[in-house]
């Protein structure tokens, strides 16, 4: 039934997890955490206050354990997220600092925790790396849980919700999302959060629609309001009219049918109608994610981001720990390739361990290969681990953020030294690995002819290439409207790179998010990209799109693309030419 007397409201947010659901809103209550008061305690009460804090932390640990034990089967691969939260409970920055603050300032535990978290938040805010920003969010989730226990607020038990509803929350923590019962929760929408958040990853794994980053949806929607969530388009409709309800009912049925067909065919080759084949691989951050790549029909790992092992602990991982994880991935997916990208850290890491070291502009600072070349011991350790893992399957090495020829030479020198040292020790390893560089800085595109002589392949990191070419901080939502992968400058850069690479006889891959959107396929095929890599969940739709196209048409189409002046003109052109394929084959609009 339509809510009579209400006007239909359409809101747009971030399309965090695809699909459509229609149902009643259920507001998740988070009250209690924000109403903390400050008071001073006497010297004698300090120990008691610390005890109160510790017991709140312990309670939080037990709550997380219970959630982990009862999490749905589908989330088994994601247990590490809650495992990380459990570790964060005792993190020096949070746990140690709060106890110190209670002692030094003689204030109540709730206020001390609030103060510490606010310091951590402002420290992370200055960072440009979305990955590290996500770690700050984890600290906030963990501290919220401790705070709930401290103030005695009831933690909302999502697992106990007894009706079929759509969750509406300011934010959902991974712990809360892990309690989602698929028989009752149809989907969720939030004020905060984005596509890269763990919570949205969980939504995609559970295959429920989610729209995040809606601003203040919790102030607009009331309990039991009828809403439509279109997670594919990132749209939420409150008080839909009868007509809208019918339209979305139809769309939902079509979406489910198409999804079933795409999933069924995900193991077929990505081959165009006229017989052109390209490999579609998966991006991973953790060894556990290899399973998703295989399940989704990936032809290998096109990007293994290796930062997690360095960020999840205050101590640098040793060669054996690195080797152990790399070997797992390499063995599981062999003989398919694993592209291990060396450490892409951006100076913020030193900042975390050493608060005196602050990068004014971390994205342009001592990031990725620059950090590694300045810290050759750290780099050598990782390269040795990669070369050793290479003895167990098909490994490629990928170097991030190359901006000059010297960096490539210096990297190869250290790589050779690492191989020589392994040889001398008689270790089991393989020095015969393909060596590639990420193309994510404009200077690398411009000197591609020089770089080509030193490498086996280029891999386009469009997330950064767009950031550095269009001067848009990729984590800054105020300039997000300018961030377009179909900007004519980006398309021309890719063309320039591919032309040089073809002339020099080396391959061009793409592992940035641009590769994950089916709408970009006519252009990427037309430009002549050899291999794509993306988040595993996008693989089936991208393959389905490729199978519906002809490479010959895509190449001819490029002539018109190059005549366009803006990203919106390019997008319009693609939609005009390939719109029907998009809606029939991948349900993109
Ligand atoms: C990129 O920049 O496109 C990329 C794949 O690397 P990351 O997103 O890890 O910076
Ligand atoms: Mg990058």
């Amino acid at each position: 039934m339509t809510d009579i007397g209400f006007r239909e409201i359409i809101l747009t947010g971030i399309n965090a997890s695809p699909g459509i659901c229609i149902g009643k809103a259920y507001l998740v209550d988070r009250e209690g955490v924000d109403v903390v008061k400050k008071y001073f305690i006497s010297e004698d009460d300090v120990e008691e206050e610390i005890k109160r804090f510790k017991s709140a932390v312990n309670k939080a640990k037990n709550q997380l354990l219970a959630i982990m034990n009862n999490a749905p089967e589908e989330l088994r691969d994601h247990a590490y997220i809650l495992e990380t939260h459990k570790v964060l409970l005792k993190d020096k920055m949070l746990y140690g600092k709060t106890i110190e603050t209670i002692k030094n300032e003689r204030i109540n535990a709730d206020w001390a925790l609030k103060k510490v978290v606010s310091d951590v938040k402002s420290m992370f805010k200055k960072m440009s790396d979305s990955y590290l920003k996500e770690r700050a969010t984890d600290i906030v989730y963990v501290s919220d849980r401790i705070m709930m226990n401290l103030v005695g607020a009831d933690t909302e038990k999502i697992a106990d919700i007894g009706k079929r509803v759509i969750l509406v929350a300011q934010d959902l923590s991974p712990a809360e999302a892990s309690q989602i019962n698929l028989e009752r929760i149809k989907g969720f929408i939030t004020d905060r959060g984005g596509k890269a958040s763990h919570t949205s990853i969980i939504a995609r794994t559970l295959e429920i629609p989610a729209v995040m980053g809606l601003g203040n949806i919790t102030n607009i929607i009331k309990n039991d309001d009828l809403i439509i969530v279109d997670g594919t388009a990132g749209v939420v409709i409150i008080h839909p009219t009868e007509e809208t309800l019918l339209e979305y009912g139809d769309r939902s049925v079509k979406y489910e049918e198409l999804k079933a067909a795409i999933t069924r065919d995900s193991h077929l080759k990505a081959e165009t109608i006229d017989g052109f084949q390209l490999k579609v691989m998966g991006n991973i951050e953790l060894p556990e994610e290899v399973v998703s790549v295989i399940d989704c029909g990936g032809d290998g790992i096109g990007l293994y981001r290796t930062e997690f092992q360095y960020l999840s602990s205050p101590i640098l991982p040793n060669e054996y720990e690195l080797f152990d994880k790399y070997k797992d991935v390499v063995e599981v997916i062999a003989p398919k390739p694993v592209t291990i990208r060396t450490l892409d850290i951006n100076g913020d890491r030193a900042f975390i361990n050493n608060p005196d070291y602050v990068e004014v502009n971390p994205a342009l600072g001592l990031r990725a290969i620059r950090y590694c070349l300045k810290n050759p011991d750290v780099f050598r350790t990782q390269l040795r681990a990669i070369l050793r893992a290479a003895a167990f399957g098909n490994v490629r090495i990928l170097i991030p953020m190359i901006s000059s020829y010297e960096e490539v030479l210096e990297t190869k020198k250290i790589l050779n030294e690492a191989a020589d040292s392994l040889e001398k020790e008689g270790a089991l390893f393989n020095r015969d690995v393909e060596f590639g560089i990420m193309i994510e800085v404009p200077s690398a595109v411009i000197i591609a002819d020089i770089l080509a002589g030193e490498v086996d392949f280029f891999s386009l990191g469009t997330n950064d290439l767009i950031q550095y070419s269009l001067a848009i901080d990729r984590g800054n939502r105020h300039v997000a409207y300018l961030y377009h992968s179909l900007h004519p400058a980006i398309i021309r850069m890719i063309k320039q790179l591919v032309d040089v690479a073809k002339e020099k006889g080396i391959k061009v891959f793409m592992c940035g998010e641009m590769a994950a959107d089916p709408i970009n396929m006519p252009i990427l095929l037309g430009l002549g990209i050899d291999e794509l890599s993306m988040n595993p969940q996008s693989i089936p739709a991208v393959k389905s799109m490729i199978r519906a196209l002809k490479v010959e048409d895509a190449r001819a189409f490029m002539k018109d693309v190059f005549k366009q002046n803006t990203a919106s003109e390019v997008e319009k052109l693609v939609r005009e030419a390939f719109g029907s394929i998009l809606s029939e084959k991948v349900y993109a609009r």
Side-chain angles (χ1 to χ4, degrees), residues 209-253:
V211 178
M212 301 178 84
L214 281 154
N216 67 341
I217 194 95
T218 43
N219 287 335
I220 301 170
I221 294 185
K222 287 181 209 56
N223 264 328
D224 291 332
D225 274 352
L226 185 64
I227 55 174
I228 297 176
V229 177
D230 182 347
T232 313
V235 166
V236 174
I237 303 171
I238 313 169
H239 312 310
T241 62
E242 208 70 63
E243 207 183 336
T244 310
L245 274 175
L246 279 175
E247 183 194 328
Y248 273 88
D250 272 1
R251 279 195 202 180
S252 167
V253 171

CSV table of all heavy atoms in Angstrom, one decimal, residues 209-253:
chain,number,residue,atom,x,y,z
A,209,PRO,N,20.9,-5.4,-1.5
A,209,PRO,CA,21.0,-4.0,-2.0
A,209,PRO,C,21.4,-3.1,-0.8
A,209,PRO,O,20.9,-3.2,0.3
A,209,PRO,CB,19.6,-3.7,-2.5
A,209,PRO,CG,18.9,-4.9,-2.6
A,209,PRO,CD,19.5,-5.9,-1.6
A,210,ALA,N,22.3,-2.2,-1.1
A,210,ALA,CA,22.7,-1.1,-0.1
A,210,ALA,C,23.0,0.2,-0.8
A,210,ALA,O,23.7,0.2,-1.8
A,210,ALA,CB,23.8,-1.6,0.7
A,211,VAL,N,22.5,1.3,-0.2
A,211,VAL,CA,22.9,2.6,-0.6
A,211,VAL,C,23.5,3.3,0.6
A,211,VAL,O,22.9,3.3,1.6
A,211,VAL,CB,21.7,3.4,-1.2
A,211,VAL,CG1,22.2,4.8,-1.6
A,211,VAL,CG2,21.1,2.7,-2.4
A,212,MET,N,24.7,3.9,0.4
A,212,MET,CA,25.4,4.5,1.6
A,212,MET,C,25.7,6.0,1.2
A,212,MET,O,25.5,6.4,0.1
A,212,MET,CB,26.7,3.7,1.9
A,212,MET,CG,26.4,2.3,2.2
A,212,MET,SD,27.9,1.4,2.6
A,212,MET,CE,28.2,1.7,4.3
A,213,GLY,N,26.2,6.7,2.2
A,213,GLY,CA,26.6,8.1,2.0
A,213,GLY,C,25.4,9.0,1.6
A,213,GLY,O,25.6,9.9,0.8
A,214,LEU,N,24.2,8.7,2.3
A,214,LEU,CA,23.1,9.5,1.9
A,214,LEU,C,22.9,10.8,2.6
A,214,LEU,O,22.0,11.6,2.5
A,214,LEU,CB,21.8,8.7,2.1
A,214,LEU,CG,21.5,7.6,1.0
A,214,LEU,CD1,20.7,6.5,1.5
A,214,LEU,CD2,20.8,8.3,-0.2
A,215,GLY,N,23.9,11.1,3.5
A,215,GLY,CA,23.9,12.4,4.2
A,215,GLY,C,23.1,12.4,5.5
A,215,GLY,O,23.6,12.0,6.5
A,216,ASN,N,21.8,12.7,5.4
A,216,ASN,CA,21.0,12.6,6.7
A,216,ASN,C,19.7,11.9,6.5
A,216,ASN,O,18.6,12.4,7.0
A,216,ASN,CB,20.8,14.1,7.2
A,216,ASN,CG,19.9,14.8,6.3
A,216,ASN,OD1,19.7,14.5,5.2
A,216,ASN,ND2,19.3,15.9,6.8
A,217,ILE,N,19.8,10.8,5.9
A,217,ILE,CA,18.5,10.0,5.6
A,217,ILE,C,17.8,9.6,6.9
A,217,ILE,O,16.6,9.5,7.0
A,217,ILE,CB,18.9,8.7,4.8
A,217,ILE,CG1,17.6,8.1,4.2
A,217,ILE,CG2,19.7,7.7,5.5
A,217,ILE,CD1,17.3,8.5,2.8
A,218,THR,N,18.6,9.4,8.0
A,218,THR,CA,18.0,9.0,9.3
A,218,THR,C,17.1,10.1,9.8
A,218,THR,O,16.3,9.8,10.7
A,218,THR,CB,19.1,8.7,10.3
A,218,THR,OG1,20.1,9.7,10.2
A,218,THR,CG2,19.7,7.3,10.1
A,219,ASN,N,17.3,11.3,9.4
A,219,ASN,CA,16.4,12.4,9.8
A,219,ASN,C,15.2,12.5,9.0
A,219,ASN,O,14.2,13.2,9.3
A,219,ASN,CB,17.1,13.8,9.8
A,219,ASN,CG,18.1,13.9,10.9
A,219,ASN,OD1,18.0,13.2,11.9
A,219,ASN,ND2,19.2,14.7,10.7
A,220,ILE,N,15.2,11.9,7.8
A,220,ILE,CA,14.1,12.1,6.9
A,220,ILE,C,13.1,10.9,7.0
A,220,ILE,O,11.9,11.1,7.0
A,220,ILE,CB,14.6,12.2,5.4
A,220,ILE,CG1,15.6,13.4,5.3
A,220,ILE,CG2,13.5,12.3,4.4
A,220,ILE,CD1,16.3,13.4,4.0
A,221,ILE,N,13.7,9.7,7.2
A,221,ILE,CA,12.8,8.5,7.2
A,221,ILE,C,12.4,8.2,8.6
A,221,ILE,O,13.1,8.4,9.6
A,221,ILE,CB,13.6,7.3,6.6
A,221,ILE,CG1,13.9,7.5,5.1
A,221,ILE,CG2,12.9,6.0,6.8
A,221,ILE,CD1,14.6,6.4,4.4
A,222,LYS,N,11.1,7.7,8.7
A,222,LYS,CA,10.7,7.3,10.0
A,222,LYS,C,10.4,5.8,10.0
A,222,LYS,O,10.2,5.2,8.9
A,222,LYS,CB,9.4,8.0,10.4
A,222,LYS,CG,9.6,9.5,10.7
A,222,LYS,CD,8.3,10.2,11.0
A,222,LYS,CE,8.5,11.7,10.7
A,222,LYS,NZ,8.9,11.9,9.3
A,223,ASN,N,10.4,5.2,11.2
A,223,ASN,CA,10.1,3.8,11.2
A,223,ASN,C,8.8,3.5,10.5
A,223,ASN,O,7.9,4.2,10.5
A,223,ASN,CB,9.9,3.4,12.7
A,223,ASN,CG,11.2,2.8,13.3
A,223,ASN,OD1,12.0,2.2,12.6
A,223,ASN,ND2,11.4,3.1,14.6
A,224,ASP,N,8.9,2.3,9.8
A,224,ASP,CA,7.7,1.8,9.0
A,224,ASP,C,7.4,2.6,7.7
A,224,ASP,O,6.4,2.3,7.0
A,224,ASP,CB,6.4,1.8,9.9
A,224,ASP,CG,6.6,0.7,10.9
A,224,ASP,OD1,7.3,-0.3,10.6
A,224,ASP,OD2,6.0,0.8,12.0
A,225,ASP,N,8.1,3.7,7.4
A,225,ASP,CA,7.9,4.3,6.1
A,225,ASP,C,8.2,3.3,5.0
A,225,ASP,O,9.1,2.5,5.1
A,225,ASP,CB,9.0,5.5,5.9
A,225,ASP,CG,8.5,6.8,6.5
A,225,ASP,OD1,7.3,6.8,6.9
A,225,ASP,OD2,9.3,7.7,6.5
A,226,LEU,N,7.4,3.4,3.9
A,226,LEU,CA,7.6,2.5,2.8
A,226,LEU,C,8.8,3.1,1.9
A,226,LEU,O,8.7,4.2,1.6
A,226,LEU,CB,6.4,2.3,2.0
A,226,LEU,CG,6.4,1.3,0.8
A,226,LEU,CD1,6.6,-0.1,1.4
A,226,LEU,CD2,5.2,1.4,0.0
A,227,ILE,N,9.8,2.2,1.7
A,227,ILE,CA,10.9,2.7,0.8
A,227,ILE,C,11.3,1.7,-0.2
A,227,ILE,O,11.1,0.5,-0.1
A,227,ILE,CB,12.1,3.1,1.7
A,227,ILE,CG1,12.6,2.0,2.6
A,227,ILE,CG2,11.9,4.4,2.5
A,227,ILE,CD1,13.9,2.3,3.3
A,228,ILE,N,11.9,2.3,-1.3
A,228,ILE,CA,12.5,1.4,-2.3
A,228,ILE,C,14.0,1.7,-2.3
A,228,ILE,O,14.4,2.9,-2.2
A,228,ILE,CB,12.0,1.8,-3.7
A,228,ILE,CG1,10.5,1.6,-3.8
A,228,ILE,CG2,12.7,1.0,-4.8
A,228,ILE,CD1,9.9,2.0,-5.1
A,229,VAL,N,14.8,0.7,-2.3
A,229,VAL,CA,16.3,0.8,-2.4
A,229,VAL,C,16.8,0.2,-3.7
A,229,VAL,O,16.6,-0.9,-3.9
A,229,VAL,CB,17.0,0.1,-1.2
A,229,VAL,CG1,18.5,0.3,-1.3
A,229,VAL,CG2,16.5,0.7,0.2
A,230,ASP,N,17.3,1.1,-4.5
A,230,ASP,CA,17.9,0.6,-5.8
A,230,ASP,C,19.5,0.7,-5.6
A,230,ASP,O,20.1,1.8,-5.8
A,230,ASP,CB,17.5,1.5,-6.9
A,230,ASP,CG,18.0,1.0,-8.3
A,230,ASP,OD1,19.0,0.2,-8.2
A,230,ASP,OD2,17.5,1.4,-9.3
A,231,GLY,N,20.1,-0.4,-5.1
A,231,GLY,CA,21.5,-0.4,-4.9
A,231,GLY,C,22.3,-0.3,-6.1
A,231,GLY,O,23.5,0.0,-6.1
A,232,THR,N,21.7,-0.7,-7.3
A,232,THR,CA,22.5,-0.6,-8.5
A,232,THR,C,22.7,0.8,-8.9
A,232,THR,O,23.8,1.2,-9.3
A,232,THR,CB,21.7,-1.3,-9.7
A,232,THR,OG1,21.3,-2.6,-9.1
A,232,THR,CG2,22.6,-1.5,-10.9
A,233,ALA,N,21.6,1.6,-8.8
A,233,ALA,CA,21.8,3.0,-9.2
A,233,ALA,C,22.1,4.0,-8.0
A,233,ALA,O,22.5,5.1,-8.2
A,233,ALA,CB,20.4,3.5,-9.8
A,234,GLY,N,22.1,3.4,-6.8
A,234,GLY,CA,22.4,4.3,-5.6
A,234,GLY,C,21.3,5.2,-5.3
A,234,GLY,O,21.5,6.3,-4.8
A,235,VAL,N,20.0,4.7,-5.5
A,235,VAL,CA,18.8,5.6,-5.3
A,235,VAL,C,17.9,5.0,-4.2
A,235,VAL,O,17.8,3.8,-4.1
A,235,VAL,CB,18.1,5.7,-6.7
A,235,VAL,CG1,16.7,6.3,-6.5
A,235,VAL,CG2,18.9,6.5,-7.7
A,236,VAL,N,17.4,6.0,-3.4
A,236,VAL,CA,16.4,5.6,-2.4
A,236,VAL,C,15.1,6.4,-2.7
A,236,VAL,O,15.2,7.6,-2.9
A,236,VAL,CB,16.9,5.9,-1.0
A,236,VAL,CG1,15.9,5.6,0.0
A,236,VAL,CG2,18.2,5.0,-0.7
A,237,ILE,N,14.0,5.7,-2.7
A,237,ILE,CA,12.7,6.4,-2.9
A,237,ILE,C,11.9,6.2,-1.7
A,237,ILE,O,11.6,5.1,-1.3
A,237,ILE,CB,12.0,5.9,-4.2
A,237,ILE,CG1,13.0,6.0,-5.4
A,237,ILE,CG2,10.7,6.7,-4.4
A,237,ILE,CD1,12.5,5.4,-6.6
A,238,ILE,N,11.5,7.4,-1.1
A,238,ILE,CA,10.7,7.3,0.2
A,238,ILE,C,9.2,7.6,-0.3
A,238,ILE,O,9.0,8.5,-1.1
A,238,ILE,CB,11.1,8.3,1.2
A,238,ILE,CG1,12.7,8.2,1.3
A,238,ILE,CG2,10.5,8.1,2.5
A,238,ILE,CD1,13.3,9.4,2.1
A,239,HIS,N,8.3,7.0,0.3
A,239,HIS,CA,6.8,7.1,0.0
A,239,HIS,C,6.6,7.0,-1.5
A,239,HIS,O,6.1,7.9,-2.2
A,239,HIS,CB,6.3,8.5,0.4
A,239,HIS,CG,6.6,8.9,1.8
A,239,HIS,ND1,6.4,8.0,2.9
A,239,HIS,CD2,7.1,10.0,2.3
A,239,HIS,CE1,6.8,8.6,4.0
A,239,HIS,NE2,7.2,9.8,3.7
A,240,PRO,N,7.0,5.9,-2.1
A,240,PRO,CA,6.8,5.8,-3.6
A,240,PRO,C,5.3,5.8,-4.0
A,240,PRO,O,4.5,5.3,-3.2
A,240,PRO,CB,7.5,4.4,-3.9
A,240,PRO,CG,7.4,3.7,-2.6
A,240,PRO,CD,7.6,4.7,-1.5
A,241,THR,N,5.1,6.3,-5.2
A,241,THR,CA,3.7,6.3,-5.7
A,241,THR,C,3.4,4.9,-6.2
A,241,THR,O,4.3,4.1,-6.4
A,241,THR,CB,3.5,7.2,-6.9
A,241,THR,OG1,4.4,6.8,-7.9
A,241,THR,CG2,3.9,8.7,-6.5
A,242,GLU,N,2.1,4.6,-6.4
A,242,GLU,CA,1.7,3.3,-6.9
A,242,GLU,C,2.5,3.0,-8.2
A,242,GLU,O,2.9,1.8,-8.4
A,242,GLU,CB,0.2,3.4,-7.2
A,242,GLU,CG,-0.5,2.0,-7.1
A,242,GLU,CD,-0.6,1.5,-5.6
A,242,GLU,OE1,-1.2,2.2,-4.8
A,242,GLU,OE2,0.0,0.5,-5.4
A,243,GLU,N,2.6,4.0,-9.1
A,243,GLU,CA,3.3,3.8,-10.4
A,243,GLU,C,4.7,3.4,-10.2
A,243,GLU,O,5.2,2.5,-10.8
A,243,GLU,CB,3.2,5.1,-11.1
A,243,GLU,CG,3.2,5.0,-12.6
A,243,GLU,CD,3.1,6.4,-13.2
A,243,GLU,OE1,2.6,7.4,-12.5
A,243,GLU,OE2,3.6,6.6,-14.3
A,244,THR,N,5.4,4.1,-9.3
A,244,THR,CA,6.8,3.9,-9.0
A,244,THR,C,7.0,2.4,-8.5
A,244,THR,O,7.9,1.7,-8.8
A,244,THR,CB,7.4,4.9,-8.0
A,244,THR,OG1,7.1,6.2,-8.4
A,244,THR,CG2,8.9,4.7,-7.9
A,245,LEU,N,6.1,2.1,-7.6
A,245,LEU,CA,6.1,0.7,-7.0
A,245,LEU,C,6.0,-0.4,-8.1
A,245,LEU,O,6.8,-1.3,-8.1
A,245,LEU,CB,5.0,0.5,-6.0
A,245,LEU,CG,5.2,1.0,-4.6
A,245,LEU,CD1,4.0,0.9,-3.8
A,245,LEU,CD2,6.4,0.2,-3.9
A,246,LEU,N,5.1,-0.2,-9.0
A,246,LEU,CA,5.0,-1.1,-10.1
A,246,LEU,C,6.2,-1.2,-10.9
A,246,LEU,O,6.7,-2.3,-11.2
A,246,LEU,CB,3.8,-0.7,-11.0
A,246,LEU,CG,2.4,-1.1,-10.5
A,246,LEU,CD1,1.3,-0.6,-11.4
A,246,LEU,CD2,2.3,-2.6,-10.4
A,247,GLU,N,6.8,0.0,-11.3
A,247,GLU,CA,8.0,0.1,-12.1
A,247,GLU,C,9.1,-0.7,-11.4
A,247,GLU,O,9.8,-1.5,-12.0
A,247,GLU,CB,8.3,1.5,-12.3
A,247,GLU,CG,9.5,1.7,-13.3
A,247,GLU,CD,10.0,3.1,-13.2
A,247,GLU,OE1,9.2,4.1,-13.0
A,247,GLU,OE2,11.3,3.3,-13.3
A,248,TYR,N,9.3,-0.4,-10.1
A,248,TYR,CA,10.4,-1.0,-9.4
A,248,TYR,C,10.2,-2.5,-9.2
A,248,TYR,O,11.1,-3.3,-9.1
A,248,TYR,CB,10.8,-0.3,-8.2
A,248,TYR,CG,11.8,0.9,-8.5
A,248,TYR,CD1,11.3,2.1,-8.8
A,248,TYR,CD2,13.1,0.6,-8.4
A,248,TYR,CE1,12.2,3.1,-9.2
A,248,TYR,CE2,14.0,1.7,-8.7
A,248,TYR,CZ,13.5,2.9,-9.1
A,248,TYR,OH,14.4,3.9,-9.4
A,249,GLY,N,8.9,-2.9,-9.0
A,249,GLY,CA,8.6,-4.3,-8.9
A,249,GLY,C,9.1,-5.1,-10.1
A,249,GLY,O,9.8,-6.1,-10.0
A,250,ASP,N,8.8,-4.5,-11.3
A,250,ASP,CA,9.2,-5.1,-12.6
A,250,ASP,C,10.8,-5.1,-12.7
A,250,ASP,O,11.3,-6.1,-13.0
A,250,ASP,CB,8.8,-4.2,-13.7
A,250,ASP,CG,7.4,-4.6,-14.2
A,250,ASP,OD1,6.8,-5.5,-13.6
A,250,ASP,OD2,6.9,-4.0,-15.1
A,251,ARG,N,11.4,-4.0,-12.3
A,251,ARG,CA,12.8,-3.9,-12.4
A,251,ARG,C,13.5,-5.0,-11.5
A,251,ARG,O,14.5,-5.6,-11.9
A,251,ARG,CB,13.3,-2.5,-12.0
A,251,ARG,CG,13.2,-1.5,-13.0
A,251,ARG,CD,14.0,-0.3,-12.6
A,251,ARG,NE,13.5,0.9,-13.3
A,251,ARG,CZ,14.0,2.1,-13.1
A,251,ARG,NH1,15.0,2.2,-12.2
A,251,ARG,NH2,13.6,3.1,-13.8
A,252,SER,N,12.9,-5.1,-10.4
A,252,SER,CA,13.5,-6.1,-9.4
A,252,SER,C,13.5,-7.5,-10.0
A,252,SER,O,14.5,-8.2,-9.9
A,252,SER,CB,12.7,-6.0,-8.1
A,252,SER,OG,13.0,-7.0,-7.3
A,253,VAL,N,12.3,-7.9,-10.6
A,253,VAL,CA,12.2,-9.2,-11.1
A,253,VAL,C,13.3,-9.4,-12.3
A,253,VAL,O,14.0,-10.4,-12.3
A,253,VAL,CB,10.8,-9.4,-11.7
A,253,VAL,CG1,10.7,-10.8,-12.5
A,253,VAL,CG2,9.8,-9.4,-10.6
